[in-house]
Amino acid sequence: MDVWLVCSALSLLLPVTEAFGSGDDGWSMNVQSEVRAIEGYPVVLPCTFSHPQHSQHSSLQVLWRLGHGQSATVLYRCTSNSGTTACEPGPQQDQRYRLEGNPREHDLSLRINSATLQDSGRYYCRVEILGREHLSFEDKMGTKLRVETPPKILALSVEGTEQSGFRAVCRVQGSPLPDVQWLGPDHLLEGSLVGPLAQDSQPHYYHTVSQLRDVEPGQQYTCSASNPLGREQATLYVLPPRPSLTVGRASPPLLLLLSLSLGAKILLLVGMGVWMAQGRALQGVRCWWK
């Protein structure tokens, strides 16, 4: 059984399939209210429809949207012309999306390749019979796609100063939202030392931030993130602050060496000056004697 079959079987096991109909012209549409997927793998959003007056000789247009209303984004659009079985997408169509079903068989199921956390949201399928007024239908409830992924530690760092105190900060991504714990050298750190989790304003990104206050230089701390799909951890070693080296704080032996070096240079310059002065005086005496 390949990965697609595994993921599809997982979604089909959920007892959430419902039928939505407008009550007009005999339309009906079956969608799955929720589908779960694993990040990086393909997923199929099931959608089938029926219409008693549907003609095999009519041209059809299929649309899939993420979101509803004016803020909705059209992710997939294709047209099945009369006399053909294929549904041809537009030239600018994102290749991650493709129609898994056959509209001529009343199947509008959408396949998303390499699902990401950003794909999480509510999807709506729509079918239109072209050339005829008011012959279209879409489900009203939509299908909620929930993409899940094991925890991933995005960053682990130390913030703060020696005066205010240091804290370790661990940024984690995962779905479902990971549980974050801190481990010391030989025990679990909890209670008031662990800062609260903070989730982004956009819920489908599933980012959390956890902080550990009052960390001590010279010690190591481990951030451990876990959810039902797995666990990841990273270890941080807090380096002691380096003492700043300035002339005003230099040690006495260093000052002594600097003084001796400077004194030797002065003596050398004075000696060269005296030697040159004596040389000029002797040259003057020789000239006068002649």
Side-chain angles (χ1 to χ4, degrees):
M1 180 179 293
D2 56 18
V3 174
W4 175 81
L5 290 177
V6 172
C7 294
S8 299
L10 174 62
S11 63
L12 292 175
L13 287 176
L14 299 176
V16 292
T17 301
E18 298 182 12
F20 304 94
S22 65
D24 298 330
D25 301 326
W27 281 102
S28 67
M29 184 168 283
N30 295 326
V31 300
Q32 203 160 305
S33 62
E34 182 175 285
V35 173
R36 297 169 61 185
I38 304 297
E39 185 181 31
Y41 294 100
V43 60
V44 174
L45 305 180
C47 178
T48 59
F49 74 99
S50 63
H51 183 262
Q53 300 175 1
H54 171 68
S55 172
Q56 295 292 336
H57 303 290
S58 302
S59 295
L60 303 176
Q61 180 171 256
V62 179
L63 291 94
W64 274 90
R65 297 182 299 171
L66 176 60
H68 199 268
Q70 296 182 351
S71 60
T73 301
V74 176
L75 299 177
Y76 185 85
R77 186 198 307 265
C78 70
T79 302
S80 178
N81 293 317
S82 176
T84 63
T85 58
C87 195
E88 297 294 337
Q92 304 299 324
Q93 177 61 52
D94 187 343
Q95 297 302 310
R96 281 207 314 130
Y97 306 97
R98 84 177 191 200
L99 204 63
E100 187 73 10
N102 183 355
R104 295 297 171 183
E105 298 177 356
H106 298 186
D107 190 349
L108 311 178
S109 300
L110 180 72
R111 176 187 175 100
I112 304 176
N113 291 318
S114 300
T116 67
L117 286 177
Q118 289 74 21
D119 291 325
S120 297
R122 191 169 292 276
Y123 291 74
Y124 298 85
C125 64
R126 177 183 179 89
V127 60
E128 300 175 353
I129 298 180
L130 302 179
R132 298 186 182 184
E133 192 175 359
H134 303 305
L135 288 181
S136 64
F137 192 78
E138 70 176 0
D139 70 282
K140 304 302 181 182
M141 300 300 293
T143 298
K144 181 180 179 181
L145 175 61
R146 187 171 66 180
V147 181
E148 300 182 346
T149 183
K152 181 179 181 181
I153 297 178
L154 303 176
L156 181 59
S157 60
V158 174
E159 298 178 0
T161 63
E162 190 173 2
Q163 290 74 21
S164 63
F166 296 102
R167 64 182 182 274
V169 179
C170 186
R171 292 174 172 82
V172 180
Q173 173 182 278
S175 173
L177 202 63
D179 176 55
V180 181
Q181 292 181 322
W182 290 93
L183 306 174
D186 53 1
H187 61 284
L188 177 68
L189 301 176
E190 56 183 0
S192 61
L193 293 179
V194 180
L197 293 174
Q199 189 172 349
D200 288 354
S201 58
Q202 298 181 352
H204 57 269
Y205 284 161
Y206 300 103
H207 286 179
T208 63
V209 179
S210 178
Q211 62 181 2
L212 180 65
R213 299 183 181 275
D214 301 325
V215 299
E216 300 179 358
Q219 300 294 327
Q220 68 178 22
Y221 302 90
T222 298
C223 173
S224 177
S226 61
N227 69 8
L229 277 73
R231 175 189 299 270
E232 182 169 282
Q233 63 182 30
T235 300
L236 176 71
Y237 179 76
V238 184
L239 293 174
R242 293 183 178 181
S244 57
L245 182 61
T246 60
V247 176
R249 296 182 180 179
S251 59
L254 179 59
L255 290 176
L256 179 60
L257 290 176
L258 293 175
S259 301
L260 291 177
S261 176
L262 183 59
K265 290 181 180 180
I266 294 175
L267 291 177
L268 180 60
L269 291 175
V270 171
M272 291 181 63
V274 172
W275 178 78
M276 293 176 65
Q278 291 179 351
R280 291 193 185 97
L282 291 175
Q283 185 177 5
V285 171
R286 290 173 183 172
C287 294
W288 179 81
W289 181 257
K290 291 180 180 179

mmCIF file of all heavy atoms in Angstrom, residues 50-76:
data_model
loop_
_atom_site.group_PDB
_atom_site.id
_atom_site.type_symbol
_atom_site.label_atom_id
_atom_site.label_comp_id
_atom_site.label_asym_id
_atom_site.label_seq_id
_atom_site.Cartn_x
_atom_site.Cartn_y
_atom_site.Cartn_z
ATOM 1 N N SER A 50 -24.625 15.117 -7.447
ATOM 2 C CA SER A 50 -25.609 14.492 -8.329
ATOM 3 C C SER A 50 -26.613 15.542 -8.751
ATOM 4 O O SER A 50 -26.885 16.508 -8.017
ATOM 5 C CB SER A 50 -26.317 13.326 -7.621
ATOM 6 O OG SER A 50 -27.041 13.799 -6.505
ATOM 7 N N HIS A 51 -27.165 15.354 -9.959
ATOM 8 C CA HIS A 51 -28.164 16.270 -10.471
ATOM 9 C C HIS A 51 -29.007 15.522 -11.493
ATOM 10 O O HIS A 51 -28.491 15.057 -12.512
ATOM 11 C CB HIS A 51 -27.502 17.491 -11.120
ATOM 12 C CG HIS A 51 -28.506 18.503 -11.593
ATOM 13 N ND1 HIS A 51 -28.926 18.583 -12.891
ATOM 14 C CD2 HIS A 51 -29.185 19.460 -10.907
ATOM 15 C CE1 HIS A 51 -29.819 19.569 -13.009
ATOM 16 N NE2 HIS A 51 -29.990 20.114 -11.830
ATOM 17 N N PRO A 52 -30.269 15.362 -11.256
ATOM 18 C CA PRO A 52 -31.099 14.542 -12.158
ATOM 19 C C PRO A 52 -31.126 15.060 -13.590
ATOM 20 O O PRO A 52 -31.247 14.275 -14.535
ATOM 21 C CB PRO A 52 -32.487 14.635 -11.514
ATOM 22 C CG PRO A 52 -32.226 14.963 -10.085
ATOM 23 C CD PRO A 52 -31.014 15.826 -10.084
ATOM 24 N N GLN A 53 -31.010 16.374 -13.785
ATOM 25 C CA GLN A 53 -31.091 16.931 -15.118
ATOM 26 C C GLN A 53 -29.722 17.076 -15.784
ATOM 27 O O GLN A 53 -29.616 17.673 -16.845
ATOM 28 C CB GLN A 53 -31.779 18.299 -15.067
ATOM 29 C CG GLN A 53 -33.199 18.234 -14.505
ATOM 30 C CD GLN A 53 -33.806 19.608 -14.359
ATOM 31 O OE1 GLN A 53 -33.176 20.606 -14.695
ATOM 32 N NE2 GLN A 53 -35.040 19.669 -13.866
ATOM 33 N N HIS A 54 -28.698 16.572 -15.112
ATOM 34 C CA HIS A 54 -27.351 16.724 -15.666
ATOM 35 C C HIS A 54 -27.239 16.004 -17.009
ATOM 36 O O HIS A 54 -27.689 14.866 -17.164
ATOM 37 C CB HIS A 54 -26.320 16.151 -14.696
ATOM 38 C CG HIS A 54 -24.944 16.067 -15.287
ATOM 39 N ND1 HIS A 54 -24.213 17.177 -15.577
ATOM 40 C CD2 HIS A 54 -24.197 15.010 -15.640
ATOM 41 C CE1 HIS A 54 -23.045 16.808 -16.099
ATOM 42 N NE2 HIS A 54 -23.015 15.490 -16.138
ATOM 43 N N SER A 55 -26.659 16.688 -17.962
ATOM 44 C CA SER A 55 -26.518 16.127 -19.312
ATOM 45 C C SER A 55 -25.052 15.873 -19.597
ATOM 46 O O SER A 55 -24.193 16.714 -19.312
ATOM 47 C CB SER A 55 -27.093 17.094 -20.359
ATOM 48 O OG SER A 55 -26.794 16.639 -21.672
ATOM 49 N N GLN A 56 -24.757 14.724 -20.182
ATOM 50 C CA GLN A 56 -23.391 14.409 -20.567
ATOM 51 C C GLN A 56 -22.905 15.302 -21.709
ATOM 52 O O GLN A 56 -21.725 15.363 -21.999
ATOM 53 C CB GLN A 56 -23.300 12.938 -20.994
ATOM 54 C CG GLN A 56 -23.581 11.952 -19.871
ATOM 55 C CD GLN A 56 -22.502 11.970 -18.804
ATOM 56 O OE1 GLN A 56 -21.362 12.354 -19.072
ATOM 57 N NE2 GLN A 56 -22.866 11.567 -17.588
ATOM 58 N N HIS A 57 -23.817 15.999 -22.356
ATOM 59 C CA HIS A 57 -23.438 16.843 -23.483
ATOM 60 C C HIS A 57 -23.186 18.293 -23.074
ATOM 61 O O HIS A 57 -22.937 19.132 -23.927
ATOM 62 C CB HIS A 57 -24.539 16.794 -24.558
ATOM 63 C CG HIS A 57 -24.835 15.407 -25.036
ATOM 64 N ND1 HIS A 57 -23.953 14.676 -25.806
ATOM 65 C CD2 HIS A 57 -25.922 14.603 -24.835
ATOM 66 C CE1 HIS A 57 -24.476 13.500 -26.078
ATOM 67 N NE2 HIS A 57 -25.664 13.420 -25.495
ATOM 68 N N SER A 58 -23.258 18.589 -21.773
ATOM 69 C CA SER A 58 -23.028 19.951 -21.289
ATOM 70 C C SER A 58 -21.562 20.135 -20.901
ATOM 71 O O SER A 58 -20.888 19.188 -20.472
ATOM 72 C CB SER A 58 -23.924 20.254 -20.088
ATOM 73 O OG SER A 58 -25.279 20.093 -20.420
ATOM 74 N N SER A 59 -21.089 21.356 -21.039
ATOM 75 C CA SER A 59 -19.741 21.693 -20.567
ATOM 76 C C SER A 59 -19.804 22.030 -19.085
ATOM 77 O O SER A 59 -20.732 22.711 -18.622
ATOM 78 C CB SER A 59 -19.185 22.884 -21.353
ATOM 79 O OG SER A 59 -19.003 22.540 -22.717
ATOM 80 N N LEU A 60 -18.796 21.559 -18.344
ATOM 81 C CA LEU A 60 -18.756 21.742 -16.896
ATOM 82 C C LEU A 60 -17.537 22.555 -16.494
ATOM 83 O O LEU A 60 -16.481 22.467 -17.116
ATOM 84 C CB LEU A 60 -18.715 20.384 -16.177
ATOM 85 C CG LEU A 60 -19.843 19.403 -16.468
ATOM 86 C CD1 LEU A 60 -19.575 18.091 -15.742
ATOM 87 C CD2 LEU A 60 -21.178 19.983 -16.058
ATOM 88 N N GLN A 61 -17.690 23.320 -15.420
ATOM 89 C CA GLN A 61 -16.562 24.006 -14.798
ATOM 90 C C GLN A 61 -16.510 23.636 -13.326
ATOM 91 O O GLN A 61 -17.533 23.661 -12.638
ATOM 92 C CB GLN A 61 -16.657 25.520 -14.953
ATOM 93 C CG GLN A 61 -15.484 26.256 -14.317
ATOM 94 C CD GLN A 61 -15.457 27.724 -14.662
ATOM 95 O OE1 GLN A 61 -14.675 28.184 -15.476
ATOM 96 N NE2 GLN A 61 -16.323 28.496 -14.014
ATOM 97 N N VAL A 62 -15.317 23.285 -12.865
ATOM 98 C CA VAL A 62 -15.100 22.864 -11.480
ATOM 99 C C VAL A 62 -14.210 23.883 -10.791
ATOM 100 O O VAL A 62 -13.189 24.306 -11.342
ATOM 101 C CB VAL A 62 -14.453 21.465 -11.425
ATOM 102 C CG1 VAL A 62 -14.214 21.046 -9.978
ATOM 103 C CG2 VAL A 62 -15.331 20.444 -12.151
ATOM 104 N N LEU A 63 -14.581 24.277 -9.571
ATOM 105 C CA LEU A 63 -13.782 25.213 -8.788
ATOM 106 C C LEU A 63 -13.590 24.665 -7.382
ATOM 107 O O LEU A 63 -14.512 24.099 -6.793
ATOM 108 C CB LEU A 63 -14.459 26.585 -8.692
ATOM 109 C CG LEU A 63 -14.551 27.430 -9.953
ATOM 110 C CD1 LEU A 63 -15.883 27.190 -10.648
ATOM 111 C CD2 LEU A 63 -14.392 28.902 -9.626
ATOM 112 N N TRP A 64 -12.383 24.880 -6.858
ATOM 113 C CA TRP A 64 -12.079 24.595 -5.457
ATOM 114 C C TRP A 64 -11.529 25.887 -4.853
ATOM 115 O O TRP A 64 -10.612 26.503 -5.401
ATOM 116 C CB TRP A 64 -11.052 23.477 -5.310
ATOM 117 C CG TRP A 64 -11.651 22.105 -5.321
ATOM 118 C CD1 TRP A 64 -11.873 21.301 -6.398
ATOM 119 C CD2 TRP A 64 -12.100 21.378 -4.176
ATOM 120 N NE1 TRP A 64 -12.435 20.114 -6.024
ATOM 121 C CE2 TRP A 64 -12.587 20.129 -4.650
ATOM 122 C CE3 TRP A 64 -12.157 21.637 -2.817
ATOM 123 C CZ2 TRP A 64 -13.103 19.157 -3.803
ATOM 124 C CZ3 TRP A 64 -12.670 20.665 -1.961
ATOM 125 C CH2 TRP A 64 -13.137 19.445 -2.454
ATOM 126 N N ARG A 65 -12.093 26.267 -3.702
ATOM 127 C CA ARG A 65 -11.677 27.498 -3.046
ATOM 128 C C ARG A 65 -11.250 27.218 -1.608
ATOM 129 O O ARG A 65 -11.790 26.331 -0.946
ATOM 130 C CB ARG A 65 -12.811 28.528 -3.048
ATOM 131 C CG ARG A 65 -13.229 28.973 -4.435
ATOM 132 C CD ARG A 65 -14.330 30.019 -4.362
ATOM 133 N NE ARG A 65 -15.528 29.496 -3.709
ATOM 134 C CZ ARG A 65 -16.570 30.255 -3.353
ATOM 135 N NH1 ARG A 65 -16.538 31.553 -3.560
ATOM 136 N NH2 ARG A 65 -17.621 29.704 -2.777
ATOM 137 N N LEU A 66 -10.297 28.009 -1.150
ATOM 138 C CA LEU A 66 -9.886 27.987 0.255
ATOM 139 C C LEU A 66 -10.505 29.207 0.925
ATOM 140 O O LEU A 66 -10.213 30.344 0.572
ATOM 141 C CB LEU A 66 -8.368 28.028 0.382
ATOM 142 C CG LEU A 66 -7.804 28.106 1.812
ATOM 143 C CD1 LEU A 66 -8.237 26.908 2.640
ATOM 144 C CD2 LEU A 66 -6.283 28.219 1.791
ATOM 145 N N GLY A 67 -11.385 28.961 1.878
ATOM 146 C CA GLY A 67 -12.109 30.050 2.517
ATOM 147 C C GLY A 67 -13.431 30.310 1.818
ATOM 148 O O GLY A 67 -13.732 29.736 0.768
ATOM 149 N N HIS A 68 -14.200 31.215 2.425
ATOM 150 C CA HIS A 68 -15.534 31.483 1.896
ATOM 151 C C HIS A 68 -15.752 32.990 1.832
ATOM 152 O O HIS A 68 -15.166 33.752 2.589
ATOM 153 C CB HIS A 68 -16.600 30.831 2.787
ATOM 154 C CG HIS A 68 -17.924 30.667 2.127
ATOM 155 N ND1 HIS A 68 -18.912 31.611 2.215
ATOM 156 C CD2 HIS A 68 -18.430 29.669 1.347
ATOM 157 C CE1 HIS A 68 -19.977 31.218 1.529
ATOM 158 N NE2 HIS A 68 -19.708 30.034 0.994
ATOM 159 N N GLY A 69 -16.586 33.415 0.914
ATOM 160 C CA GLY A 69 -16.883 34.836 0.788
ATOM 161 C C GLY A 69 -15.846 35.580 -0.026
ATOM 162 O O GLY A 69 -15.114 34.999 -0.844
ATOM 163 N N GLN A 70 -15.741 36.905 0.217
ATOM 164 C CA GLN A 70 -14.832 37.744 -0.550
ATOM 165 C C GLN A 70 -13.366 37.437 -0.275
ATOM 166 O O GLN A 70 -12.503 37.721 -1.106
ATOM 167 C CB GLN A 70 -15.127 39.216 -0.260
ATOM 168 C CG GLN A 70 -16.507 39.670 -0.712
ATOM 169 C CD GLN A 70 -16.745 41.141 -0.440
ATOM 170 O OE1 GLN A 70 -15.943 41.802 0.235
ATOM 171 N NE2 GLN A 70 -17.848 41.667 -0.968
ATOM 172 N N SER A 71 -13.078 36.889 0.892
ATOM 173 C CA SER A 71 -11.690 36.578 1.233
ATOM 174 C C SER A 71 -11.235 35.216 0.708
ATOM 175 O O SER A 71 -10.104 34.803 0.945
ATOM 176 C CB SER A 71 -11.504 36.616 2.751
ATOM 177 O OG SER A 71 -12.345 35.660 3.380
ATOM 178 N N ALA A 72 -12.108 34.507 -0.004
ATOM 179 C CA ALA A 72 -11.768 33.172 -0.502
ATOM 180 C C ALA A 72 -10.715 33.258 -1.607
ATOM 181 O O ALA A 72 -10.654 34.232 -2.359
ATOM 182 C CB ALA A 72 -13.013 32.472 -1.014
ATOM 183 N N THR A 73 -9.896 32.208 -1.691
ATOM 184 C CA THR A 73 -8.865 32.100 -2.721
ATOM 185 C C THR A 73 -9.184 30.902 -3.610
ATOM 186 O O THR A 73 -9.342 29.788 -3.120
ATOM 187 C CB THR A 73 -7.473 31.909 -2.090
ATOM 188 O OG1 THR A 73 -7.194 33.012 -1.234
ATOM 189 C CG2 THR A 73 -6.401 31.811 -3.165
ATOM 190 N N VAL A 74 -9.283 31.138 -4.916
ATOM 191 C CA VAL A 74 -9.522 30.049 -5.862
ATOM 192 C C VAL A 74 -8.209 29.300 -6.071
ATOM 193 O O VAL A 74 -7.240 29.854 -6.600
ATOM 194 C CB VAL A 74 -10.068 30.573 -7.199
ATOM 195 C CG1 VAL A 74 -10.222 29.429 -8.193
ATOM 196 C CG2 VAL A 74 -11.397 31.287 -6.994
ATOM 197 N N LEU A 75 -8.153 28.053 -5.648
ATOM 198 C CA LEU A 75 -6.942 27.250 -5.751
ATOM 199 C C LEU A 75 -6.908 26.410 -7.023
ATOM 200 O O LEU A 75 -5.834 26.129 -7.561
ATOM 201 C CB LEU A 75 -6.816 26.325 -4.533
ATOM 202 C CG LEU A 75 -6.725 27.015 -3.171
ATOM 203 C CD1 LEU A 75 -6.689 25.963 -2.072
ATOM 204 C CD2 LEU A 75 -5.504 27.914 -3.097
ATOM 205 N N TYR A 76 -8.086 26.004 -7.478
ATOM 206 C CA TYR A 76 -8.123 25.127 -8.654
ATOM 207 C C TYR A 76 -9.371 25.440 -9.474
ATOM 208 O O TYR A 76 -10.457 25.656 -8.930
ATOM 209 C CB TYR A 76 -8.126 23.659 -8.238
ATOM 210 C CG TYR A 76 -8.050 22.698 -9.413
ATOM 211 C CD1 TYR A 76 -6.817 22.349 -9.961
ATOM 212 C CD2 TYR A 76 -9.203 22.175 -9.978
ATOM 213 C CE1 TYR A 76 -6.752 21.492 -11.050
ATOM 214 C CE2 TYR A 76 -9.138 21.317 -11.066
ATOM 215 C CZ TYR A 76 -7.901 20.980 -11.598
ATOM 216 O OH TYR A 76 -7.829 20.143 -12.674
#
